[in-house]
Amino acid sequence: MEEGIRTIAISTGGGDAPGLNAVIRAATLAACKRGWRCFGIRDGYDGVLFPERYPNGGLIDLTVESVRGITHLGGTVLGTTNRGNPLFMKVQDAQGNWVTEDRSGHLIGCLKENGIDALITIGGDGSLTIGAALARKGFPVIGVPKTIDNDLNKTSVTFGFDSAVSFASECLDRLHTTAASHRRVLVVEVMGRYAGWIALHAGVAASADVILIPEIPFDIEVVADKIKEREARGRDFSIVLVAEGAKPIDGEVSVVGTVRGRGERLGGIAEKVAAQLEPLTKKEIRTAVLGHLLRGGTPTPFDRLLALRLGAAAVRGLAEGQKNVMVAVDGGIHYVPLDEATSHMKLVPVDSDIVATAKDLGISFGSRDL
Ligand code: F6P
C-alpha cells in the first residue's frame, strides 16, 4: 500500500482519442475518493514546463465537480500536444546553437515543485516512453494506453479504437450505397500509421472488397484483378479500404510532409491507389479520406467503459504501490512494465483469425502471397 501519495497529476499526450475524458473523470473520482488532490496538466507537459504560457495556470484543479458530465465528450479537457517531447527538447546552447537535450530531470523537478507525488500519463507509444523515462529516474508513473490505432504492445485493446472502427464502418456503409448506385470504385483512407487494425476491423465488419494494411505490402495489379473479377460477376462497384501506412511491394509509404521533431506526416495513399487503378480497371474512381474524423466525436459505450476501467485502475494501482507500469487489458486488468509496453508496436498478425476470416469472405489484401 502506497502511504506517500497526497497529490497526483494527469497528463494527456499525443493524438487525441475518444475516451480520454472518461479516463480523466474516473481517475479523478478514484483519487478524490482516497482523499488525494488531483491536477490535470495542460497540453501534455507544457502546463508544468512552460507555466508562463498559461495566464490562468498550467495546472487544472480536477475535482468531483470539475469532471462532472465529461465521460461522453470527445477530445481532452486538458488539451494535448504531439510536439516538444521533453526527452528530445530543442534548446539553444551558450553559443546560440540549437541542440537536443533530455529535459526529463527538469520535468520531474517541475512536477515536484508543484507538490505532485505521482503521475498518470494517458497516451500512446510516445507519451508512455516519456513516462517510462520519468519512472526510470524514480518518479512514480502509471500509464494508460490510448490510441485509435490499437498498436500498443501488451494490451489486447486501447480505448479509442472501438470508436474509430465504429465510425469507419458507418462511413463504409454510406459509401457502399453511393458506390453501388454509380457503379464506381471508392478508395477510402483511414488512419493506421504502422498497424492496420482500424482498416482490418472496419473493412471486415463493413464488407470492403479490398483491405490494404501496412503489414501486407500490396501489388496494385492484384487489387485491379479483384475489381475486374467482381465486374465479371456483375458486381460493378468496389470498396477499397487503405490504411495510411500501407505501401506497395516495390515502393514506400505515402508522405505529405514532415513535422518538426516528429518526422514524416503520412497521407495521400488513397489518391495514389486511385490514380493507378483507373487505367488498370477503366472504372470511375472516387476517394474519401476519413483521417481526423476517426479521432473526434463521442466515444462508443465500449470505449467509455474501457476508459473508465483504465482510469480507475490507474489510481488503484498507485494506491497499491504500483509504479513504472501501464494498465493493460487482457481479459481482466493487469499492470505491465512500461518498458515492455513500449518496446515494440503491436502489429496485425498476418496469420490471425480475422485475416483468415477476411480471406474466407473473399476480401483481397492486394497480395499474391495471401
Ligand atoms: O493517433 C495516431 C494517428 O492516428 C496516426 O495513425 C496518424 O499518423 C497520426 O495519429 C496523425 O496525427 P496528427 O495529424 O495529429 O499529427
Side-chain angles (χ1 to χ4, degrees), residues 61-121:
D61 211 354
L62 294 174
T63 62
V64 173
E65 290 73 33
S66 71
V67 298
R68 194 162 279 152
I70 64 169
T71 301
H72 66 292
L73 299 180
T76 160
V77 292
L78 303 180
T80 187
T81 177
N82 41 23
R83 290 175 184 228
N85 185 334
L87 305 184
F88 304 97
M89 197 73 95
K90 288 264 182 240
V91 291
Q92 270 180 308
D93 66 11
Q95 286 72 45
N97 301 316
W98 286 101
V99 290
T100 302
E101 207 174 88
D102 177 354
R103 304 278 283 162
S104 53
H106 173 67
L107 174 54
I108 291 175
C110 295
L111 292 167
K112 286 185 176 167
E113 262 170 41
N114 283 286
I116 294 161
D117 305 312
L119 174 74
I120 294 176
T121 176

Side-chain angles (χ1 to χ4, degrees), residues 15-16 82 146-149 191-193 244 259 262 265-266 292 295:
D16 66 333
N82 41 23
K146 165 241 60 170
T147 162
I148 65 164
D149 290 351
M191 281 189 172
R193 193 178 175 83
E244 63 179 352
V259 181
R262 279 191 60 221
R265 190 154 76 84
L266 303 188
H292 293 82
R295 292 224 307 242

Side-chain angles (χ1 to χ4, degrees), residues 26-367:
T28 301
L29 295 187
C32 291
K33 191 169 168 237
R34 285 163 176 80
W36 300 352
R37 191 147 189 218
C38 189
F39 287 113
I41 305 175
R42 296 186 62 187
D43 303 335
Y45 298 110
D46 287 0
V48 285
L49 286 172
F50 311 107
E52 67 283 2
R53 293 183 189 166
Y54 301 90
N56 299 323
L59 291 177
I60 297 175
D61 211 354
L62 294 174
T63 62
V64 173
E65 290 73 33
S66 71
V67 298
R68 194 162 279 152
I70 64 169
T71 301
H72 66 292
L73 299 180
T76 160
V77 292
L78 303 180
T80 187
T81 177
N82 41 23
R83 290 175 184 228
N85 185 334
L87 305 184
F88 304 97
M89 197 73 95
K90 288 264 182 240
V91 291
Q92 270 180 308
D93 66 11
Q95 286 72 45
N97 301 316
W98 286 101
V99 290
T100 302
E101 207 174 88
D102 177 354
R103 304 278 283 162
S104 53
H106 173 67
L107 174 54
I108 291 175
C110 295
L111 292 167
K112 286 185 176 167
E113 262 170 41
N114 283 286
I116 294 161
D117 305 312
L119 174 74
I120 294 176
T121 176
I122 313 170
D125 177 43
S127 309
L128 297 182
T129 303
I130 299 168
L134 301 182
R136 272 197 297 276
K137 288 197 158 90
F139 197 80
V141 177
I142 291 214
V144 174
K146 165 241 60 170
T147 162
I148 65 164
D149 290 351
N150 195 36
D151 56 4
L152 270 174
N153 195 24
K154 293 285 169 190
T155 184
S156 62
V157 69
T158 54
F159 73 85
F161 174 62
D162 185 66
S163 305
V165 169
S166 270
F167 181 72
S169 304
E170 186 193 331
C171 292
L172 289 174
D173 291 345
R174 289 167 184 250
L175 292 166
H176 238 107
T177 54
T178 176
S181 303
H182 287 268
R183 297 172 300 283
R184 284 173 174 158
V185 174
L186 243 304
V187 183
V188 187
E189 182 176 317
V190 289
M191 281 189 172
R193 193 178 175 83
Y194 306 108
W197 294 105
I198 297 175
L200 178 66
H201 283 227
V204 173
S207 303
D209 303 297
V210 179
I211 300 174
L212 306 178
I213 59 176
E215 293 86 345
I216 307 173
F218 66 87
D219 180 338
I220 199 72
E221 301 274 351
V222 177
V223 179
D225 286 349
K226 173 71 187 175
I227 293 166
K228 288 189 274 187
E229 174 253 313
R230 279 175 56 77
E231 192 88 0
R233 286 191 283 114
R235 306 296 285 153
D236 51 11
F237 70 95
S238 288
I239 303 282
V240 178
L241 182 57
V242 56
E244 63 179 352
K247 58 174 182 236
I249 34 173
D250 50 357
E252 285 309 318
V253 289
S254 180
V255 174
V256 282
T258 53
V259 181
R260 193 159 59 85
R262 279 191 60 221
E264 291 171 337
R265 190 154 76 84
L266 303 188
I269 186 69
E271 282 299 336
K272 289 181 183 165
V273 166
Q276 289 175 32
L277 282 179
E278 211 147 39
L280 292 173
T281 60
K282 311 275 186 291
K283 293 284 296 174
E284 195 177 20
I285 306 195
R286 294 288 186 270
T287 58
V289 179
L290 302 186
H292 293 82
L293 289 167
L294 297 166
R295 292 224 307 242
T298 189
T300 58
F302 179 91
D303 273 340
R304 291 183 207 188
L305 178 60
L306 177 59
L308 293 167
R309 287 170 69 201
L310 293 170
V315 169
R316 285 203 304 279
L318 283 176
E320 286 160 12
Q322 294 276 2
K323 49 188 82 156
N324 199 4
V325 292
M326 179 185 84
V327 190
V329 190
D330 189 2
I333 293 282
H334 303 272
Y335 298 96
V336 297
L338 273 170
D339 282 336
E340 281 181 30
T342 52
S343 62
H344 58 274
M345 321 288 307
K346 183 182 70 189
L347 302 181
V348 171
V350 173
D351 58 359
S352 72
D353 82 281
I354 303 186
V355 172
T357 302
K359 288 194 293 182
D360 282 336
L361 293 172
I363 297 172
S364 166
F365 287 93
S367 167

